[in-house]
Amino acid sequence: MEVVGEAETETRALKPCLLRRNHSREQHGVAASCLEELRSKACDILAIDKSLAPVTLVLAEDGTIVDDDDYFLCLPSNTKFVALANNEKWAYSNSDGGTAWISQESFDVDETDSGSGLKWKNVARQLKEDLSSIILLSEEDLQVLIDVPCSDLAQELCQSCVTVQGLQNTLQQVLDQREEARQSKQLLELYLQALEKEGSILSKQQEASAGFSDKMDAVDAGSNRESTSKITLTSQVLTALKEKPAPELSLSSRDLELVTKEDPKALAVALSWGLKKTETLQQACHQELSLRLQQVQSLRSLRSVSARKSSLSGEPREPKRAKQEPT
């Protein structure tokens, strides 16, 4: 068994990598089959004193610690690493003579810009794993990918610029469709409001009863102020719910699910709304979430059928084409 293990180690493919020290401009190209080999070569090539062990390897673009061989093998070729000796801390550096250590333009990066740069990469990786997740993205995530330079997104997705340009056009279409749906809902609301104004005494009574119901909801909400601590939604999501028309179209599917799971009374308190209005919002979020999940399921079903047809087309069809001899 040991011989087999040694043979596997010897035949394991070498991964080309780029190494440098923290705050250094010089980078060195090395090839290693595992993390331990990369650490060893880092100590030799970068002249790291063994007394400064342990040596930690981190990704140069964001400081992620790489300490798992499986993760190392999943990284693309020519990934850039920073070797940290002993208690050194990773620090972003763009003072390398015009070549940034991350795959973006070289510029002075503050924390906000760095965070947004990492965000589009995370969203891009999500699309790379499953293209149908476009449907599940928030409007903000869609806009982030649309704004990314085509060449950068192509490099992240390992696709041609022509393909990525088509993808960005699709993202813009999805964004436009949500905006059209929002405007349609606003027009419908205006139409219903006009009908109410033209209504008779009955509609006035309904408005009065609705106002009374809202007041009662506000009283109920006041008596349940302590439940606000149970709200799991972020301030960004709450702001979108309060300020944006048809907010369910702006949120990601994950946020939609969180909204639907919130206690209506607690959510009403957080939004300073009446209970009836809050429940209507949760119902709209539930409907939008169901619609998106149905669309994803349909896309995956079509993909599965297409894959089966492709596999069948590759099989020999001679038995099926053979004609029976006349009797």
Side-chain angles (χ1 to χ4, degrees):
M1 295 297 293
E2 292 180 358
V3 174
V4 174
E6 291 176 359
E8 289 179 352
T9 301
E10 292 175 357
T11 57
R12 181 181 291 181
L14 294 174
K15 181 187 293 293
C17 307
L18 296 173
L19 279 173
R20 70 175 175 91
R21 288 296 301 271
N22 210 18
H23 304 296
S24 174
R25 295 183 181 184
E26 294 182 356
Q27 58 182 351
H28 302 265
V30 299
S33 60
C34 62
L35 274 176
E36 188 59 37
E37 183 179 359
L38 186 60
R39 286 195 191 95
S40 177
K41 289 189 175 183
C43 291
D44 294 338
I45 295 174
L46 301 177
I48 300 176
D49 194 327
K50 292 185 178 181
S51 63
L52 299 177
V55 173
T56 304
L57 296 175
V58 302
L59 296 181
E61 67 170 338
D62 59 9
T64 299
I65 297 175
V66 182
D67 54 6
D68 179 75
D69 264 320
D70 291 334
Y71 181 76
F72 169 73
L73 294 175
C74 292
L75 293 172
S77 298
N78 295 316
T79 295
K80 297 177 182 179
F81 292 90
V82 176
L84 302 177
N86 203 357
N87 294 322
E88 278 186 333
K89 300 295 182 183
W90 172 85
Y92 171 76
S93 173
N94 65 346
S95 58
D96 55 354
T99 303
W101 289 107
I102 56 177
S103 58
Q104 301 181 35
E105 268 187 38
S106 179
F107 56 97
D108 293 334
V109 179
D110 56 21
E111 293 181 358
T112 303
D113 292 336
S114 179
S116 63
L118 294 178
K119 180 175 182 179
W120 78 258
K121 288 191 174 184
N122 291 333
V123 179
R125 287 164 188 164
Q126 184 179 346
L127 280 188
K128 189 175 181 180
E129 293 175 2
D130 185 4
L131 193 60
S132 61
S133 62
I134 290 176
I135 301 171
L136 307 178
L137 297 178
S138 67
E139 288 185 329
E140 181 183 357
D141 289 342
L142 290 170
Q143 191 63 58
V144 164
L145 290 182
I146 292 171
D147 293 339
V148 173
C150 182
S151 57
D152 291 349
L153 188 56
Q155 182 179 0
E156 185 65 32
L157 296 178
C158 300
Q159 298 289 339
S160 67
C161 285
V162 175
T163 301
V164 170
Q165 185 62 59
L167 173 63
Q168 288 182 313
N169 291 338
T170 301
L171 296 174
Q172 185 63 58
Q173 290 175 5
V174 174
L175 202 58
D176 292 342
Q177 288 171 358
R178 293 193 189 179
E179 181 59 31
E180 290 173 2
R182 177 182 292 105
Q183 292 178 4
S184 298
K185 288 191 174 186
Q186 287 180 287
L187 289 174
L188 180 59
E189 289 176 0
L190 291 174
Y191 175 71
L192 294 176
Q193 290 174 7
L195 288 180
E196 289 179 0
K197 290 181 180 179
E198 294 176 359
S200 59
I201 300 175
L202 178 60
S203 41
K204 291 182 180 180
Q205 291 175 346
Q206 289 175 346
E207 289 175 5
S209 62
F212 177 75
S213 175
D214 286 343
K215 289 181 181 179
M216 293 302 296
D217 292 341
V219 172
D220 292 339
S223 62
N224 291 281
R225 295 261 175 205
E226 66 277 3
S227 63
T228 56
S229 60
K230 299 179 182 178
I231 290 289
T232 58
L233 301 176
T234 63
S235 58
Q236 184 179 4
V237 173
L238 290 174
T239 300
L241 294 177
K242 284 182 179 181
E243 299 179 356
K244 291 194 175 183
E248 66 275 9
L249 299 175
S250 303
L251 302 179
S252 67
S253 296
R254 179 177 178 276
D255 290 334
L256 288 174
E257 185 177 5
L258 292 176
V259 172
T260 58
K261 289 182 178 180
E262 288 291 355
D263 177 68
K265 291 183 179 179
L267 184 57
V269 173
L271 296 173
S272 301
W273 285 0
L275 183 59
K276 184 177 180 181
K277 184 177 180 181
T278 303
E279 289 176 338
T280 301
L281 169 68
Q282 287 183 301
Q283 184 179 5
C285 290
H286 176 73
Q287 292 174 349
E288 176 66 19
L289 178 62
S290 299
L291 177 62
R292 293 188 193 180
L293 293 178
Q294 288 174 4
Q295 291 173 338
V296 170
Q297 186 175 5
S298 299
L299 285 175
R300 289 175 178 172
S301 297
L302 289 172
R303 186 185 302 165
S304 177
V305 171
S306 177
R308 286 200 298 270
K309 287 184 177 180
S310 298
S311 62
L312 289 175
S313 63
E315 295 178 357
R317 294 174 175 259
E318 288 77 9
K320 293 185 179 180
R321 292 198 298 266
K323 296 182 179 179
Q324 295 182 354
E325 297 179 0
T327 55

